[in-house]
Amino acid sequence: MGSIIMEPDDVAAYISGGHGHNTLKNLTKICTFANRIHSPGVFSGVNPLEFSVPLLFLQLGLSAGTIIFFSMLLKPLGQPLIVSQILGGVVLGSSGLGHLGRFREVIFPLRGFVVLDVISALGHVFYFFLIGVQTDISFVKKIDKKAFAIGSCSVILSMILSTIYSITLVNIVDIQTIKYLFAIGGTESFINFPMVASLVSELHLINSEFGRFALSTAMASNFFSICLALLGALLAPQNEGKYQTISTLYASLMLVAVIFFAIRPIIVWMIKKNPIGKPLKECFVVTLLLLVLVVAFCCQALGLHIYIGPLFLGVTIPSGPPIGSALVDRLDFITSWVFMPIFFVKIGLVVNIYATKLINFLCMSFIVFVGAMGKFLGALLISTYFKLSMRDAVSLGLILNCQGALELGVFKIMRKEKLINDEALVVTCVWVMVVVAIITPIIRHLLDPSRRFIVHKRRTVMHSRPEFDLCVLVCIHDQEDVPSAINLLDALNPTRRSHLAVYILHLVELLGRAHLELIHHKQMEVRTSRSCSSIPIVNAFKYFGESKSEILAIYPFTAISPSATMHDVVCSLALDKKTSLILVPFHQRFHSNGVLSLSQYKTKMVNHHILENAPCSIALVVERGILKTPKSIATNFHPFQIAMVFIGGPDDREAMFIGARMVGHPNINLTFIRLQESGNVPSSDVKERRLDNKSVDEFRQSIADNNRVKYIEEMVKDGIGTISILRSMGSDFDLVIVGRQHNPCLALVQGLVLWNEQTELGAIGEVLASSDFIGNATILVVQQHRRVVNEDEELNQEDIIPMDNTKKRMMQNSYPSKISYQF
């Protein structure tokens, strides 16, 4: 357990404060009082810090608090968590406050290290278990010759440059330092997949094509590095080293065989016994946690490092929920913010920059730089050979230099086995932090995910040609979203002139994997175990599609993704399928009396990111009357009543064109309510008013012969008048369509924004959603797509409204023609 427990040299370095008291090198025992566990309190006249429990609580709180402070401080600079963790350990360690003798004796006395070692060891076990859970070995299948060539050449070039640099320093430093340089160069040349996956996930690049290719390259490089390390150990001239390597390899293979052939079947049995779509049973969670501890014990019994067994056990966890999600949800917080801060602080307590000679620090620092440069150049050159873009090639070279807690543990092990000394440990730990701190902001700048979703033309219902098919992406969180989604799709009125291509995306939160899964359900029946919760959802849309198979095509998908990057899946699919509209369920459900259901914060953030980055128009679906079954358009004998509230602006114009398409349905009645401001129009709104008038005039011409459309125009002075008009609508409507954003200077909405606590719905949408005067009506809040490459040119083109005679004909009921239908 060399990477966890304090070694005699570490204890000596800690006690001496970096001043090199060699008399403490053989210190192997720490004495403490068995009766000083719980403090009787300060009122008893004793110091609580002389007792183990209050001292441990103070150390845990101080360690976690310091890391949280640096995390909040560095977050605006785009720094990842690992930088804050190492920096927190250094500040509390021997290079910071720990250099003060009084602070070290009071806060981190030597007698408290026994308990800290146990806490750190426990945290290390679960930390590497979580790394295994979040590492998907399916990336092995995705490694092609391009990924293997880039990964292997990065390692080879880094090792060559490090070796050349070490040889050139023979006449400058002593022979012992040269050995350390070779050890540092060899270790720095390796690439660890878990740390790369952690950074890719933190940068929200997992869903991108670059992120997936970077993970494949890192996996290939990791396997190549392991093979080189085993080959080097077997070819070593020392017989004792060969025997140790062979025995370690044999013990590791035996442990892995037990995990895969004995423990994995138990885990698979747990999945089968757990109810479909339900959280993992508590007894199964406890059993898995006990298995982690048992495997860690076996590692120690076989002479292996304590993290190997839990890491392999985590890898065997089947992908997706329920097990992976449940374990990460239970362990991630306490491991990352309670146990692991102690590990970083313990590293900081034995890392003393003041005890390092300048010449050795510079020589060792430069070999770290040479190793990093070798990996960067190797990835850059081979990526250029395979014709990757320069932006992707540079980003890939940088991201392969990512390091973290795994490397710190390796350096600690090397320090125990005398492969490196104290000075080398200081240099490597400091440079892990420095390298990651440098490359992360550069990668964020080069690979901004939102840039991918900026298109050249607006993708809206308003700008789509009426004789072409309309592509719609429907997001579904759970089965409660299905009835309203089917009603809205039916209301969009697919005809033989304008078919409807619908992409269903069931969003499933992923907590236990290193990358997402996007499953396309091609078969008529869904049998995928990973997406079993999608079965009733996909089948419901399948039956709906079968009833309109000649004019409607359904393409169901399931996205298993972390909530932080779930919007990326939605926007990527919308971009790839060239959709004109995305239907997104709102994160709250409103009762007819205005009472809110429980808010889902993660869903709220997903919706927020979709609204910011979507490559097409968006419609938020706000449910009201949660206990009432939605009224079906197709099977109901009474007409489906829709109200459209028009104030003005691009969002309202988009909402109007959606309503114009819906009114062609024979069982839909539309009431169009236009609110106009009485008085003079401000000069800044003249262009918008002109566009509004032109689009409304063409809308009125198109529905001139349709007796199912009612047009109402009201003059309003202020927000109070707007509320009065909305209240007069009554509760007879099944669907109310409004635009999301309006000019806040308009008198029609002034005063309403003060009520708007949630900006997702806008002023009008928020008033309707939180009121009690529209009954159980579903609310559709529309935002028009405006993120284009040349926005000024697109704004000029908006003068032309694509509503012609074809649009009029589309509103009439017609016999459909055959269209392909696929699952």
Side-chain angles (χ1 to χ4, degrees):
M1 227 162 26
S3 63
I4 315 295
I5 302 300
M6 298 283 280
E7 300 297 325
D9 290 342
D10 297 335
V11 175
Y14 159 78
I15 295 179
S16 63
H19 300 295
H21 292 199
N22 293 328
T23 56
L24 298 171
K25 287 287 184 180
N26 295 322
L27 180 62
T28 57
K29 295 182 180 180
I30 298 177
C31 298
T32 185
F33 295 97
N35 60 344
R36 289 182 175 265
I37 306 299
H38 298 279
S39 171
V42 293
F43 299 106
S44 301
V46 297
N47 184 3
L49 298 182
E50 294 179 356
F51 296 82
S52 300
V53 172
L55 178 63
L56 175 63
F57 290 161
L58 177 63
Q59 292 169 338
L60 290 173
L62 185 61
S63 302
T66 303
I67 292 177
I68 292 174
F69 170 76
F70 282 113
S71 176
M72 297 176 63
L73 186 66
L74 298 178
K75 187 176 181 179
L77 301 178
Q79 294 297 333
L81 179 61
I82 185 64
V83 174
S84 304
Q85 291 173 328
I86 299 177
L87 185 59
V90 171
V91 169
L92 293 178
S94 299
S95 300
L97 296 176
H99 194 66
L100 305 175
R102 184 60 180 168
F103 177 86
R104 190 170 62 251
E105 293 172 2
V106 174
I107 306 300
F108 292 101
L110 189 61
R111 55 182 167 80
F113 273 48
V114 176
V115 180
L116 286 184
D117 285 338
V118 176
I119 298 295
S120 180
L122 191 63
H124 222 59
V125 166
F126 286 111
Y127 176 76
F128 281 98
F129 172 69
L130 288 177
I131 288 179
V133 170
Q134 299 179 60
T135 301
D136 199 331
I137 59 175
S138 65
F139 269 108
V140 178
K141 303 176 183 178
K142 302 178 182 179
I143 297 176
D144 53 10
K145 66 176 183 179
K146 185 196 305 185
F148 182 79
I150 295 174
S152 57
C153 289
S154 300
V155 175
I156 293 173
L157 184 58
S158 179
M159 295 186 70
I160 292 175
L161 294 180
S162 300
T163 303
I164 295 174
Y165 171 76
S166 301
I167 294 175
T168 58
L169 294 181
V170 172
N171 297 326
I172 300 179
V173 296
D174 58 274
I175 188 66
Q176 192 66 29
T177 305
I178 292 294
K179 293 181 180 179
Y180 297 151
L181 291 178
F182 276 105
I184 295 174
T187 305
E188 289 288 343
S189 301
F190 293 163
I191 299 172
N192 287 306
F193 171 80
M195 298 298 100
V196 175
S198 176
L199 181 60
V200 169
S201 176
E202 193 162 352
L203 293 176
H204 299 166
L205 296 173
I206 281 185
N207 299 343
S208 65
E209 183 179 353
F210 171 83
R212 291 188 287 269
F213 181 72
L215 293 179
S216 300
T217 304
M219 178 71 78
S221 178
N222 206 163
F223 279 118
F224 186 75
S225 301
I226 293 174
C227 293
L228 284 182
L230 291 176
L231 184 62
L234 294 175
L235 297 178
Q238 296 87 357
N239 292 330
E240 183 178 352
K242 288 183 179 180
Y243 173 76
Q244 180 68 24
T245 302
I246 293 174
S247 62
T248 301
L249 181 60
Y250 175 76
S252 301
L253 292 176
M254 184 172 62
L255 180 63
V256 170
V258 171
I259 291 174
F260 273 89
F261 296 106
I263 298 180
R264 180 178 170 83
I266 299 177
I267 298 175
V268 174
W269 175 82
M270 291 180 181
I271 296 177
K272 293 180 180 179
K273 290 296 182 180
N274 198 71
I276 295 177
K278 300 294 183 180
L280 190 64
K281 292 182 179 179
E282 194 71 22
C283 60
F284 292 162
V285 175
V286 175
T287 302
L288 289 171
L289 297 182
L290 292 177
L291 284 175
V292 175
L293 299 178
V294 170
V295 170
F297 168 78
C298 294
C299 288
Q300 291 290 275
L302 295 173
L304 302 174
H305 296 299
I306 196 171
Y307 67 84
I308 292 179
L311 180 64
F312 280 112
L313 179 61
V315 170
T316 61
I317 301 294
S319 61
I323 290 188
S325 303
L327 292 176
V328 174
D329 191 39
R330 299 291 183 90
L331 295 176
D332 185 61
F333 178 81
I334 191 172
T335 301
S336 300
W337 297 106
V338 178
F339 294 150
M340 286 307 292
I342 294 296
F343 168 77
F344 290 105
V345 170
K346 284 178 73 272
I347 292 287
L349 289 172
V350 299
V351 170
N352 193 336
I353 299 177
Y354 307 113
T356 306
K357 295 180 181 179
L358 181 60
I359 183 64
N360 291 340
F361 183 86
L362 294 177
C363 292
M364 294 178 182
S365 297
F366 199 74
I367 197 171
V368 174
F369 172 77
V370 169
M373 186 58 65
K375 288 187 284 188
F376 173 77
L377 292 177
L380 179 64
L381 295 176
I382 305 302
S383 298
T384 305
Y385 172 78
F386 283 105
K387 299 181 180 180
L388 268 70
S389 66
M390 184 56 65
R391 183 187 297 269
D392 288 348
V394 172
S395 302
L396 184 60
L398 292 174
I399 210 166
L400 292 181
N401 280 286
C402 172
Q403 295 181 328
L406 183 59
E407 283 76 14
L408 294 179
V410 171
F411 293 138
K412 197 71 170 60
I413 293 172
M414 295 173 64
R415 170 65 183 81
K416 174 195 173 185
E417 297 177 354
K418 309 299 182 182
L419 297 177
I420 60 175
N421 61 356
D422 293 335
E423 293 179 331
L425 180 62
V426 171
V427 172
T428 52
C429 291
V430 170
W431 274 98
V432 166
M433 176 183 65
V434 172
V435 169
V436 177
I438 292 174
I439 66 175
T440 304
I442 299 176
I443 297 173
R444 288 186 188 274
H445 175 72
L446 293 175
L447 298 174
D448 183 4
S450 63
R451 292 179 183 175
R452 307 196 315 271
F453 307 127
I454 300 179
V455 295
H456 293 275
K457 290 186 178 181
R458 292 196 180 189
R459 297 182 177 181
T460 68
V461 177
M462 175 178 174
H463 293 84
S464 61
R465 296 186 64 85
E467 66 272 15
F468 290 169
D469 295 346
L470 179 65
C471 297
V472 180
L473 174 61
V474 181
C475 298
I476 300 294
H477 292 290
D478 51 46
Q479 297 182 37
E480 295 179 353
D481 300 328
V482 174
S484 293
I486 291 178
N487 263 351
L488 289 173
L489 292 177
D490 195 9
L492 285 173
N493 189 32
T495 65
R496 68 179 182 182
R497 290 186 178 275
S498 180
H499 302 145
L500 198 62
V502 182
Y503 299 91
I504 307 298
L505 186 61
H506 181 209
L507 301 175
V508 179
E509 184 181 6
L510 171 64
L511 295 174
R513 285 289 115 185
H515 79 294
L516 69 89
E517 290 184 79
L518 183 62
I519 303 170
H520 184 195
H521 304 292
K522 298 180 181 180
Q523 288 74 28
M524 294 299 292
E525 297 295 335
V526 181
R527 297 185 178 89
T528 309
S529 60
R530 298 177 183 179
S531 58
C532 54
S533 61
S534 301
I535 293 177
I537 294 174
V538 173
N539 287 338
F541 283 100
K542 180 193 70 173
Y543 296 140
F544 170 68
E546 287 177 347
S547 64
K548 299 177 178 290
S549 59
E550 296 180 334
I551 55 175
L552 180 70
I554 300 288
Y555 305 95
F557 292 84
T558 295
I560 305 177
S561 169
S563 60
T565 58
M566 195 171 284
H567 67 281
D568 206 25
V569 188
V570 177
C571 296
S572 298
L573 188 60
L575 182 67
D576 181 55
K577 303 303 180 182
K578 299 180 180 180
T579 61
S580 299
L581 181 66
I582 303 177
L583 297 179
V584 182
F586 192 56
H587 67 275
Q588 284 182 323
R589 296 178 185 273
F590 294 80
H591 296 271
S592 57
N593 58 1
V595 178
L596 294 173
S597 63
L598 293 178
S599 175
Q600 301 179 16
Y601 177 75
K602 292 182 178 180
T603 305
K604 177 182 178 180
M605 295 309 300
V606 171
N607 292 352
H608 174 73
H609 292 309
I610 293 175
L611 288 169
E612 285 187 341
N613 301 306
C616 63
S617 295
I618 308 164
L620 290 173
V621 183
V622 184
E623 291 284 356
R624 291 176 53 84
I626 195 170
L627 300 178
K628 181 179 178 181
T629 304
K631 182 174 158 183
S632 174
I633 299 177
T635 60
N636 201 283
F637 294 104
H638 301 285
F640 193 80
Q641 302 292 337
I642 298 179
M644 165 65 204
V645 180
F646 187 94
I647 293 178
D651 290 351
D652 278 22
R653 292 194 291 270
E654 180 72 7
M656 182 183 64
F657 274 78
I658 293 177
R661 183 180 178 98
M662 289 181 175
V663 79
H665 196 288
N667 201 34
I668 286 181
N669 290 348
L670 174 65
T671 301
F672 187 93
I673 305 173
R674 184 181 186 185
L675 305 182
Q676 294 201 72
E677 183 178 351
S678 59
N680 296 327
V681 180
S683 58
S684 58
D685 294 334
V686 171
K687 183 178 180 180
E688 284 294 327
R689 178 65 68 90
R690 179 170 58 85
L691 291 174
D692 293 340
N693 291 335
K694 186 173 182 179
S695 60
V696 171
D697 289 343
E698 295 205 11
F699 171 76
R700 295 185 66 179
Q701 293 176 11
S702 66
I703 53 96
D705 299 329
N706 194 330
N707 57 6
R708 289 179 285 104
V709 180
K710 183 179 181 181
Y711 180 87
I712 302 174
E713 191 169 302
E714 299 283 353
M715 302 300 294
V716 180
K717 293 182 178 180
D718 50 23
I720 298 177
T722 302
I723 293 292
S724 299
I725 298 299
L726 296 178
R727 185 177 293 276
S728 66
M729 292 170 52
S731 58
D732 297 330
F733 294 103
D734 302 297
L735 175 67
V736 179
I737 307 175
V738 297
R740 178 171 177 259
Q741 295 178 337
H742 303 92
N743 187 348
C745 297
L746 287 176
L748 300 178
V749 296
Q750 285 184 358
L752 303 183
V753 291
L754 299 177
W755 306 351
N756 186 13
E757 299 177 359
Q758 301 169 357
T759 58
E760 292 93 336
L761 299 181
I764 302 297
E766 189 67 31
V767 170
L768 291 174
S770 57
S771 65
D772 57 353
F773 47 76
I774 61 170
N776 292 315
T778 300
I779 303 172
L780 200 65
V781 182
V782 179
Q783 174 180 285
Q784 188 182 64
H785 175 237
R786 291 188 289 272
R787 299 182 74 240
V788 292
V789 175
N790 192 343
E791 188 169 353
D792 294 334
E793 181 180 350
E794 287 291 324
L795 287 175
N796 294 331
Q797 293 178 358
E798 193 175 354
D799 292 347
I800 304 174
I801 307 297
M803 181 180 291
D804 52 14
N805 293 329
T806 311
K807 176 75 77 172
K808 301 176 188 178
R809 291 192 299 268
M810 184 192 70
M811 296 178 183
Q812 300 174 0
N813 196 23
S814 55
Y815 294 100
S817 60
K818 183 67 176 178
I819 182 175
S820 61
Y821 175 77
Q822 177 183 358
F823 270 89

